[in-house]
Amino acid sequence: MRLKRGVMLATVFVMGSGLVAGCGTSNSNNSTGSTSNNASANSTSSNSPSSNSTASSSSGTTTITWEAGYITHKGMRAALIKAFEQQNPNIKVNLINEPANSTAAVITTTISSGSKTPDVYLGDVIWPAQFGHAGLAQPLNSMFSQSFWSRFAPGLVKGATYQGKIYGAPFFVDTAFLYYRKDLLQKAGISSPPTTWQQLQQDSQLMQKKGLVKYGFVWQGAPYEGLTCNFEEYLADAGGNVLGSNGQPTVNTPQVKQALTFMQSLVQSGVTPKSVTTDQESQSMNVFANGDAAFLRNWSYAWGVANDPTQSKVAGKVGVTILPAFPGQNQHYSTIGGWNMMVNPHSTHMNADQKFIDFVTSQAGQDIIASYGEIPTNSAAATKASQATNASPIFQLLTKLNYRSRPSQTPQYLALSKVIYTNVNGVLAGNESVSSAISQMQSQLKSTIGGGGL
């Protein structure tokens, strides 16, 4: 029965794996599934956790297994393990590599069967409620003191919390930025990138009217997880939420109306092309890199792509800043992507698991992550990275933005997100009015929330 349940859960998470990719973390964009260049001396290329049993040897050395998908830059996981083992010579870490798009299914099946391995695994930021509800993750509150959680940037821990229990320690984060054409702004007489959404719309229309560019602003409006991420940013700027403090849907509000109406106006005004309704990250990136748009909303990886002359016609002409906000709002929100460190509830090495997580989320561990170009979750490491002499422009913006977690603090998140992006896409495509979409969303979300967990 346990195995059968695991298979059922795996099926659900396989269906959801596209959602992970949909929010475009650099992890998913670069996953190769290869271990040959990334594993430490203690790593294994096996995708079968059961073949990598943990052990406490007679010499007093404890070996734990860490199942983690490929992380953008080769060597980062091995560097973390090496540094940890130097500080903790009695603990060895056995790395199990998993391609990002199959990790959920493999982990779900494995842990549901009662396996003691992996001890620790990487989990997408939308997993904590789903995995916690299904008994696939160990609550971390009892493993760490309250002060441990203060090391993370605000908003990250909230996203890993379900019913008062924290199921993931933030490991690295990805988030969205506004990319813009410096040369076009200068030609149009615009002195600085926009700080409000209305300024972005007006600047776009001015550059389009002058014949400087075909489109003003491109982003992700296809019916998939990426549209939920985009919508959440406008909604956060408007001061609204999808779920109330009681966990029930609260979308029949002026804030949701403001967010949807503005997104609709971008398409109706011609600032955003109608093709946005089918655009994901790669399509919007291509339009911008081809020189056909003045502004782009995308994840951190877009900085490198936009300025790579082998991939972009506008390399060297691109700037980056935080996403705008609505007038009167001082907060500038960006949706959280990225990964958490999670613990198998069947692990028999909780003390070693705790030490490993404590290290990789410490400033020392997070300095290593930053050195590989990933955004640290540790506030001190993020600040240090932003102040480095040769810091990436992305890092220099970290202290200016606010993280927005998706409404994933429910085991029904996958279905909930589908309700959101389906209705928002209907508005963008002109198939639904704002008011009818809000009404449908409220009703469908209520049914979804009441439908029970996975």
Side-chain angles (χ1 to χ4, degrees):
M1 288 296 292
R2 298 177 74 179
L3 180 59
K4 182 178 180 181
R5 176 170 175 266
V7 172
M8 292 173 63
L9 287 169
T11 302
V12 172
F13 285 123
V14 166
M15 293 172 64
S17 64
L19 302 182
V20 177
C23 264
T25 67
S26 51
N27 187 340
S28 58
N29 281 319
N30 295 281
S31 174
T32 66
S34 171
T35 60
S36 59
N37 294 323
N38 302 288
S40 75
N42 299 306
S43 68
T44 175
S45 60
S46 171
N47 288 339
S48 176
S50 60
S51 67
N52 297 282
S53 59
T54 58
S56 297
S57 72
S58 56
S59 63
T61 298
T62 298
T63 300
I64 63 172
T65 54
W66 178 31
E67 186 159 339
Y70 178 73
I71 305 170
T72 310
H73 305 278
K74 66 179 184 179
M76 188 179 99
R77 294 172 300 179
L80 284 167
I81 291 172
K82 181 179 180 181
F84 170 74
E85 291 178 345
Q86 286 176 342
Q87 289 193 12
N88 299 271
N90 293 327
I91 303 175
K92 300 299 180 185
V93 179
N94 183 20
L95 176 65
I96 302 174
N97 185 73
E98 284 292 345
N101 287 344
S102 66
T103 299
V106 172
I107 290 176
T108 299
T109 302
T110 302
I111 297 179
S112 294
S113 71
S115 173
K116 298 176 182 177
T117 58
D119 295 281
V120 181
Y121 59 94
L122 276 188
D124 190 281
V125 293
I126 64 172
W127 291 5
Q130 299 166 62
F131 276 56
H133 181 81
L136 302 173
Q138 174 73 16
L140 303 184
N141 307 59
S142 59
M143 295 178 67
F144 297 96
S145 67
Q146 187 63 34
S147 61
F148 168 82
W149 303 104
S150 64
R151 67 175 59 176
F152 300 107
L156 297 181
V157 177
K158 178 183 177 183
T161 302
Y162 171 60
Q163 293 188 340
K165 297 180 179 178
I166 305 171
Y167 288 96
F171 179 58
F172 73 88
V173 67
D174 198 2
T175 197
F177 297 91
L178 181 70
Y179 300 90
Y180 61 93
R181 288 280 302 281
K182 295 183 294 185
D183 58 321
L184 296 184
L185 265 63
Q186 184 177 19
K187 289 179 180 178
I190 301 170
S191 60
S192 60
T195 58
T196 70
W197 289 115
Q198 282 71 16
Q199 287 176 350
L200 179 145
Q201 193 167 26
Q202 293 166 5
D203 291 349
S204 295
Q205 291 173 321
L206 175 61
M207 287 184 277
Q208 289 175 284
K209 187 176 180 180
K210 287 178 175 289
L212 297 174
V213 69
K214 188 175 183 180
Y215 304 119
F217 181 38
V218 290
W219 37 287
Q220 300 78 46
Y224 79 122
E225 178 68 6
L227 179 53
T228 297
C229 296
N230 279 250
F231 170 72
E232 276 292 322
E233 288 158 357
Y234 295 105
L235 182 57
D237 290 337
N241 291 288
V242 168
L243 301 179
S245 57
N246 60 357
Q248 293 302 305
T250 57
V251 297
N252 192 12
T253 63
Q255 291 80 13
V256 172
K257 183 178 180 180
Q258 181 181 4
L260 274 179
T261 300
F262 181 76
M263 296 175 78
Q264 181 188 51
S265 75
L266 289 171
V267 181
Q268 291 180 337
S269 66
V271 164
T272 292
K274 293 181 179 178
S275 62
V276 72
T277 56
T278 59
D279 284 351
Q280 299 188 15
E281 281 82 3
S282 60
Q283 290 82 17
S284 55
M285 184 75 242
N286 289 340
V287 173
F288 185 76
N290 197 45
D292 292 329
F295 298 107
L296 165 71
R297 180 268 180 207
N298 211 333
W299 304 90
S300 58
Y301 81 94
W303 172 251
V305 175
N307 285 293
D308 180 354
T310 66
Q311 302 183 70
S312 171
K313 294 181 180 179
V314 297
K317 300 177 181 178
V318 178
V320 60
T321 187
I322 55 176
L323 292 174
F326 287 121
Q329 295 284 345
N330 295 322
Q331 307 295 320
H332 296 253
Y333 289 98
S334 293
T335 303
I336 300 171
W339 295 81
N340 296 323
M341 296 288 283
M342 303 175 75
V343 175
N344 180 350
H346 308 303
S347 170
T348 56
H349 302 102
M350 290 293 179
N351 288 338
D353 300 342
Q354 186 268 345
K355 290 182 178 179
F356 183 54
I357 292 175
D358 181 54
F359 174 77
V360 300
T361 60
S362 68
Q363 182 168 352
Q366 294 278 298
D367 284 347
I368 294 174
I369 288 175
S371 72
Y372 281 86
E374 298 293 349
I375 300 176
T377 57
N378 183 296
S379 295
T383 299
K384 180 181 177 181
S386 70
Q387 296 173 344
T389 305
N390 58 347
S392 159
I394 295 293
F395 282 0
Q396 293 175 2
L397 295 170
L398 295 181
T399 57
K400 299 178 181 178
L401 57 81
N402 292 282
Y403 290 122
R404 169 74 168 192
S405 61
R406 283 164 275 174
S408 58
Q409 297 77 46
T410 167
Q412 296 89 11
Y413 176 70
L414 299 183
L416 181 150
S417 180
K418 184 177 182 179
V419 169
I420 294 172
Y421 63 65
T422 299
N423 282 285
V424 175
N425 180 264
V427 171
L428 301 178
N431 298 327
E432 296 287 347
S433 67
V434 169
S435 59
S436 66
I438 290 175
S439 178
Q440 287 180 170
M441 206 184 305
Q442 177 72 25
S443 175
Q444 293 170 359
L445 287 175
K446 187 175 181 180
S447 297
T448 299
I449 295 298
L454 294 174

